[in-house]
Amino acid sequence: MTNETQSAETIDGFHLLIEALKLNDIDTIFGLPGIPITDLTRMAQAEGMRMISFRHEQHAGNAAAAAGFLTQKPGICLTVSAPGFLNGLTALTNATTNCFPMILISGSSEREIVDLQQGDYEEMDQLAIAKPLCKAAYRVLHAEDIGVGIARAIRSAVSGRPGGVYLDLPAKFFAQTMELQAGLKSLIKVVDPAPRQIPAPDAVQRALDLLKNAKRPLIILGKGAAYAQADADIRALIEKSGIPYLPMSMAKGLLPDTHAQSASATRSYALAEADVVMLVGARLNWLLSHGKGKTWGTPGSKQYIQVDISPIEADSNVAIAAPLVGDIGSCVGALLAGMGNSWAKAPADWTQAVAERKDKNLTKMAETLAKDPVPMNFHSALNVIRNQVKARPDAIVVNEGANTLDFARSIVDMYEPRKRLDVGTWGIMGIGMGFAVAAAVTTGKPVIAIEGDSAFGFSGMEVETICRYNLPVCVIVFNNNGVYKGTDVNPTGGDPAPTVFVKGARYEMMMQAFGGVGVVANNPQELEKALTEAIASGKPTLINAIIDETAGTESGRITSLNPQTAKKK
Ligand code: FYN
Ligand code: ADP
C-alpha cells in the first residue's frame, strides 16, 4: 500500500475500501471519476487495481454486469452521486433482471443534509431509490463497517440467484481514518460466497421419471446454465440423454451450435411438439412466450421440469411438474448420476423428426447465405462474421439491435460457452460498448461487437474508452440509415421521420478520431478483409458496414409486440 495520503499508523476509508475489494480477489473497477470518488479512482490504480474509466456511467455499469456474468465474481461499478448514480442504475437494474452479479458503489451527499432536504451538492436519497431496483442495497457510514459492507454486498450479489447490489458511501466515509492494524483486521475475506445448493433426492427422481417416460423430450438451456460454468456436465447430460436441445441466446455455444442435437434451426417445431420440456437456467418469460399460446402447441400437451437456483421461479407462468431447485452444477451432476449407465436415449422417431426439419432449414439458410446481393444485406454481411467466428471460436461476440440482433443470433454459430453477450432479458439497447470493454478486459480475447446503427448510438462515445485502453475490440456497425430500416418518410414534410438517421453516416470516423482504425465496408469482401485485419492486429477498429436501407423489418422478429401490429392480428 502506498502511504502518500496517510500516516504509517492509520488507514482511511478510501484505502479500507480498496483493501476490502482486493482481499476478496476483486482486481478491476469500472467507473467514472468525480466528486466524491475521484481520489478513490486514483488510489485504486496506485494500489494495483485495474481502473477502467468510462465516458458515461451506464456503460461502466454494463461493463461491471458483463464482467460478473463472465467471471462469477461481482463486477464493480463506481460512480459519483445523484446523476452519476442514476446513470449507473439502469445497468444495475438490467444486471438484476438478467441475474448477473454486480455491485454499484456510489458516493453520496451527507446524510444529515439529504435527510433534512437542505439542498446539498447532488443531493439525493440514493439508497431509497436503489432499493426496489436491485437485489440488495446497503449503506456504510463508518470506516470500521466497510469490511462488513463489502462482504454483505458480495454475498448478496453472487449467492442464490445472482443480481445487482447497491452500496452507498457518503462522502464523509472516505476521509475517516482508523488505526492501520485495527482497520485491516476489520475487513472480511468472504468464505464460500456462492455456496452450492444441493437438490433434494426426491426432486431429482421426479425429474428423471418424467424424462424417462417422455416421448418427445426437449431441453432448453438458458444463460443461467452458461453462468453456472458446469459446461462439461451439461454437455454430458445432453449427449447421454440424446435429447434435442435449444439454447437461449446467451446459452449459445455451451455446446457448439453445430452439435447434432441442437434444434435451433427448427425451434418452432421443437417447442410446439415436445411433450416434456426441461428448462435449465432459463425462465418461461416473454422470450419463451410465457409457456403459452401457439408457440407451445396444443394446450395441455406439455409437462415441465425446471432446474433453477431460485425456489420461487417454478409456476411463475405455467405449472411446473418437476421443479429441481439447486445450483445447476449440482443439479445436472445429480441427474447424470441418477441416469446411471443404462439410460435409454430419447426416442428415435422424435430425434429423427427434429433432425430432418433442422437439416431442411439449414440447407435453406446455406442457400440464402451463398447469395451476394448489392447492396449488402444482413445475411451477406453476417455470413462473413459467421466464418470469422468459426475460425476464431474463442472470440467474444457482443450483439445488439433489432434485425442485427435477430439475424446474428441465428446466423452466427457459437462454439464455446459464454462467448455471446447480448441484450438479454429486457431486450435493452446500449449494452454494446460496455459489454465489449468488459469482455476484452476480463478475457483478453478478441471481441466482435455486432451493432445495429441505432443500438450503437446509445454507447458510441465509448469508442474513445476502447482506444484509450487499446482494447482488441472490432465494432461492426450495420448501417442501414435508421432504426429497423432507413426508408421512412415524414408524410407532412419538414423534419426527418422518427426512425431515420443522417444518410450515409461516417461511423468509422468516430474510431479514427481517437486513433483507432476506421473502415467502410460496402461488400462482403471488404468486410472480410477489415475484420480479418482487426482480429489479427488486435487494434481498436470500427467497420461501417453499409447495409441495404430497405432490408429489415419493424422490430425484427418481435414485430408482434408492437401494439398496432398486435391489434391487427
Ligand atoms: C434459427 N433458425 C435457423 C437457424 N437458427 N434456420 C436455419 N439455420 C439456422 N442456423 C430458425 C429457427 O428455427 C426459427 O424458425 C427462426 O430461424 C428464428 O430463430 P430464433 O431467432 O432462434 O427464434 P425466434 O423465434 O426469433 O426466437 C424468439 C425469441 C427471440 C423471442 C427468443 O426472438 C429473441 O431472443 N428475441 C430477442 C429480441 C430482442 O430482445 N430484441 C431487442 C429489442 S428490438 P422457426 O423454427 O420456423 O420459427 C426492438 O425493436
Ligand atoms: P434466458 O434468458 O437465457 O432464458 P434467464 O435469465 O431467463 O435465461 O434465466 C436464467 C435463470 O438461471 C434464472 O432463473 C436464474 O435464477 C437461474 N440461475 C442463474 N444462475 C444459476 C445457477 N448457478 N444455478 C442455477 N440456476 C441459476
Side-chain angles (χ1 to χ4, degrees):
M1 183 171 25
T2 56
N3 282 328
E4 77 236 20
T5 55
Q6 57 196 346
S7 76
E9 292 79 29
T10 62
I11 181 166
D12 58 21
F14 290 114
H15 287 90
L16 280 166
L17 171 60
I18 293 164
E19 294 303 318
L21 292 172
K22 283 168 64 176
L23 184 63
N24 286 290
D25 303 320
I26 294 174
D27 55 13
T28 306
I29 296 176
F30 304 94
L32 202 158
I35 297 171
I37 49 98
T38 312
D39 286 332
L40 179 60
T41 61
R42 292 194 187 106
M43 291 169 184
Q45 195 171 55
E47 298 295 347
M49 292 190 82
R50 192 102 200 256
M51 179 69 225
I52 307 290
S53 258
F54 282 75
R55 303 301 293 258
H56 187 287
E57 292 88 349
Q58 188 173 128
H59 313 307
N62 284 328
F69 170 74
L70 291 170
T71 64
Q72 294 185 324
K73 282 195 271 182
I76 306 294
C77 174
L78 181 65
T79 81
V80 302
S81 30
F85 155 77
L86 287 173
N87 286 343
L89 201 51
T90 303
L92 183 71
T93 310
N94 186 54
T96 308
T97 305
N98 281 284
C99 317
F100 299 160
M102 75 170 274
I103 303 173
L104 173 68
I105 302 178
S106 295
S108 59
S109 309
E110 298 314 335
R111 285 252 41 86
E112 298 83 347
I113 304 179
V114 173
D115 289 348
L116 275 172
Q117 298 179 32
Q118 293 175 306
D120 202 359
Y121 168 74
E122 297 191 344
E123 176 180 299
M124 177 172 275
D125 190 354
Q126 296 168 196
L127 186 69
I129 290 165
K131 251 182 200 163
L133 297 172
C134 59
K135 189 176 170 194
Y138 305 102
R139 175 186 291 134
V140 175
L141 290 173
H142 305 294
E144 60 265 33
D145 292 330
I146 192 66
V148 169
I150 289 292
R152 303 216 72 190
I154 291 172
R155 283 199 186 281
S156 299
V158 298
S159 64
R161 172 180 279 177
V165 176
Y166 175 60
L167 188 62
D168 193 76
L169 298 180
K172 262 189 205 164
F173 157 83
F174 295 107
Q176 290 173 26
T177 55
M178 287 181 75
E179 190 273 316
L180 178 64
Q181 287 313 318
L184 294 178
K185 251 195 209 146
S186 73
L187 304 181
I188 295 173
K189 179 155 176 70
V190 179
V191 176
D192 197 11
R196 296 176 65 200
Q197 295 192 20
I198 313 294
D202 55 334
V204 175
Q205 196 53 51
R206 198 183 293 122
L208 285 173
D209 289 346
L210 257 185
L211 271 189
K212 188 179 275 172
N213 295 318
K215 296 195 170 56
R216 297 179 304 282
L218 176 69
I219 294 175
I220 298 180
L221 301 174
K223 57 179 156 341
Y227 174 80
Q229 298 193 15
D231 309 334
D233 272 2
I234 288 173
R235 185 172 185 144
L237 177 72
I238 302 277
E239 291 181 343
K240 190 168 183 179
S241 68
I243 297 174
Y245 73 95
L246 283 175
M248 297 301 287
S249 194
M250 282 179 58
K252 277 166 69 74
L254 253 178
L255 290 85
D257 279 335
T258 48
H259 195 281
Q261 284 168 254
S262 167
S264 284
T266 183
R267 185 176 191 274
S268 294
Y269 174 79
L271 287 175
E273 295 300 320
D275 66 344
V276 171
V277 176
M278 180 156 80
L279 299 151
V280 183
R283 287 169 286 184
L284 276 173
N285 54 20
W286 71 280
L287 290 158
L288 285 167
S289 313
H290 303 280
K292 295 170 191 156
K294 70 174 182 348
T295 306
W296 291 90
T298 316
S301 64
K302 300 207 194 315
Q303 286 184 295
Y304 293 93
I305 301 163
Q306 184 157 31
V307 181
D308 205 289
I309 201 148
S310 165
I312 57 168
E313 184 54 39
D315 306 330
S316 57
N317 284 274
V318 297
I320 302 295
L324 188 52
V325 176
D327 72 88
I328 283 171
S330 301
C331 290
V332 171
L335 287 169
L336 273 172
M339 286 164 88
N341 295 323
S342 51
W343 184 266
K345 294 217 174 196
D349 54 346
W350 166 239
T351 54
Q352 276 162 15
V354 171
E356 273 164 30
R357 279 169 176 81
K358 168 182 151 177
D359 289 344
K360 259 191 216 149
N361 291 343
L362 288 177
T363 306
K364 263 194 242 160
M365 177 66 92
E367 287 164 8
T368 311
L369 294 178
K371 292 182 186 151
D372 189 3
V374 180
M376 205 159 46
N377 65 9
F378 289 97
H379 287 84
S380 58
L382 286 166
N383 189 39
V384 171
I385 303 173
R386 171 188 165 100
N387 292 334
Q388 294 274 333
V389 172
K390 191 174 182 184
R392 276 306 295 262
D394 60 330
I396 296 185
V397 169
V398 174
N399 189 198
E400 61 178 334
N403 292 287
T404 306
L405 173 87
D406 289 343
F407 285 124
R409 189 177 55 247
S410 40
I411 293 172
V412 180
D413 287 331
M414 305 305 301
Y415 299 87
E416 294 180 6
R418 294 170 297 284
K419 298 296 184 190
R420 187 184 152 86
L421 304 172
D422 68 25
V423 302
T425 306
W426 261 355
I428 193 172
M429 295 296 114
I431 46 83
M433 297 306 101
F435 278 16
V437 169
V441 166
T442 55
T443 71
K445 300 284 183 192
V447 178
I448 304 171
I450 310 172
E451 299 278 313
D453 49 354
S454 166
F456 174 67
F458 289 75
S459 65
M461 189 63 200
E462 301 297 346
V463 295
E464 190 274 333
T465 309
I466 291 168
C467 288
R468 191 165 12 109
Y469 292 95
N470 195 24
L471 299 174
V473 174
C474 178
V475 182
I476 304 172
V477 177
F478 276 55
N479 184 359
N480 66 348
N481 293 338
V483 183
Y484 311 132
K485 346 171 156 206
T487 50
D488 264 10
V489 175
N490 176 354
T492 67
D495 289 340
T499 55
V500 303
F501 298 141
V502 167
K503 301 228 182 223
R506 301 288 304 274
Y507 291 106
E508 78 285 358
M509 294 173 83
M510 291 174 66
M511 196 61 105
Q512 290 168 0
F514 302 108
V517 178
V519 188
V520 181
N522 287 294
N523 54 49
Q525 296 71 34
E526 287 174 4
L527 178 55
E528 188 182 342
K529 181 169 180 291
L531 181 54
T532 309
E533 282 174 13
I535 293 178
S537 72
K539 284 189 192 147
T541 301
L542 192 152
I543 305 173
N544 184 2
I546 311 299
I547 304 292
D548 182 354
E549 68 170 5
T550 66
T553 53
E554 181 102 358
S555 307
R557 297 251 322 153
I558 53 173
T559 301
S560 61
L561 296 182
N562 288 321
Q564 190 66 13
T565 328
K567 207 169 71 185
K568 278 189 207 144
K569 270 190 148 186

